[in-house]
Every structure is written in C-alpha cells, then in structure tokens.
Amino acid sequence: MIRPAMSQLPWRMSDDKEDGIDTSILTDVRPKTKRPPLYKVLLLNDDYTPMEFVVHVLERFFGMNHAQAFEIMLTVHKKGVAVVGVFSHEIAETKVGQVMDFARRHQHPLQCTMEKED
Ligand code: TYC
C-alpha cells in the first residue's frame, strides 16, 4: 500500500486492518465552497400605481433602459408579477427596500418582494 507521507492531497486515509487485510477508506477533505444562494426580486401588479411610475422605478433601481423598463412593466401589468432581477441576499434586500420606500414616499401601493432561487 502506498500511503502519502506529507500529504497535500485532498483526502485523508484511515488506517484500518481486518484479519491482516487493509480496509482503509479515503475521506474527501476538500473544503466545501458552496456558492451563496441567489434571490429573485419580484414586482407585483396593482390597480393604482401609474405605469410611468413603475417604468421609472425599473430605470432608477434596476438599471434598465426605457424600452426594457416599459416591457417589464407591461409584463407585470398583464401577468400580475415578474422577476426584475436576481441578486445576492444583501443586494436583493436593498433593492426591495429602495422600491418599497420610494413607492411609499410617493403614496403608491406598489409591492416588491424577494424569493430564494431554486
Ligand atoms: N396596473 C397598473 C395600472 O394599470 C400598472 C402597474 C404595472 C402597477 C406594474 C404595478 O408593478 C406594477 N396603472
């Protein structure tokens, strides 16, 4: 059996013997580097927020040009909801906060939420 002496290899070998037979197992010791989850930011339709206000929100907080913003606004208007961006938890929370704050300050009932991406 070859046993690495000063192992820089990404596993650890147990030192097991049963009846003189090597029954060692290799254990993966590579550090887990799970990517952080992403969050969809959703915009919800309502009957009162003016279309131009929603377009402005999408331009201002989601970096869309006017044509993109108008298209997404119409999608929300017709379907009831649309994903307007995908971000880290912290950025998504910030965007939701900015939109909700801006809508409230202008007395519009516009709703924006976030949801973990599968
Ligand atoms: N339904 C709204 C209206 O007819 C427009 C609207 C679009 C509101 C998108 C919210 O997220 C929204 N004035």
Side-chain angles (χ1 to χ4, degrees), residues 42-55 58 72-78 80-82 84 109-111:
L42 309 168
L43 205 59
L44 309 182
N45 188 36
D46 66 74
D47 291 339
Y48 306 105
T49 305
M51 290 185 172
E52 272 315 313
F53 183 82
V54 178
V55 171
L58 292 171
I72 301 289
M73 181 281 296
L74 268 192
T75 301
V76 179
H77 177 70
K78 289 184 203 159
V81 63
V84 298
L110 182 63
Q111 294 294 304

